[in-house]
């Protein structure tokens, strides 16, 4: 398989959707909408691995928020390269 990004469900979606500002109010709905795109994505796992491996500090990656990725790193001991 080539670059996983070429197969991503979000490829033709406005990137701003995946970078909500805040965690309350309208940002909550935006986060839910972004996660819905991720939910049906066939490269979601690769996206999440990339985000964890590179320490992405903001945005929705692999169907997770920044807070969720921090928790995954703490629980799983995922280290950045």
């Amino acid at each position: 398989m080539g670059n996983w990004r070429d197969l991503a469900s979000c490829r033709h979606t406005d990137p701003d959707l995946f970078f909500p500002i805040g965690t309350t109010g309208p940002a909550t709905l935006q986060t839910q909408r972004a996660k819905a795109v991720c939910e049906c994505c066939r490269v979601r796992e690769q996206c999440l691995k990339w985000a964890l491996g590179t320490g992405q500090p903001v945005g929705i990656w692999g169907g997770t928020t920044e807070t969720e990725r921090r928790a995954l790193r703490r629980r799983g001991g995922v280290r950045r390269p």
Side-chain angles (χ1 to χ4, degrees), residues 4 6 11 14 19 24 34 41 50-51 54-55 62 69 71 76-78 81:
W4 61 266
D6 294 336
R11 187 169 164 214
D14 182 355
F19 296 93
T24 60
C41 184
W50 179 83
T54 59
R69 287 192 302 280
V78 176

Side-chain angles (χ1 to χ4, degrees), residues 15-38:
D16 288 342
L17 176 65
F18 300 91
F19 296 93
I21 298 174
T23 57
T24 60
T28 302
L29 178 58
Q30 185 176 345
T31 297
Q32 290 171 348
R33 289 179 53 220
K35 284 183 166 191
V37 173
C38 296

Side-chain angles (χ1 to χ4, degrees), residues 40-51:
C40 63
C41 184
R42 64 188 201 180
V43 294
R44 179 180 177 179
E45 188 174 320
Q46 291 97 318
C47 179
L48 178 56
K49 278 184 173 179
W50 179 83

Side-chain angles (χ1 to χ4, degrees), residues 47-76:
C47 179
L48 178 56
K49 278 184 173 179
W50 179 83
L52 289 169
T54 59
Q56 292 303 304
V58 297
I60 307 298
W61 294 92
T64 63
T65 65
E66 305 93 36
T67 303
E68 293 164 340
R69 287 192 302 280
R70 276 193 299 273
L72 285 170
R73 282 193 293 270
R74 279 193 305 269
R75 280 195 314 252

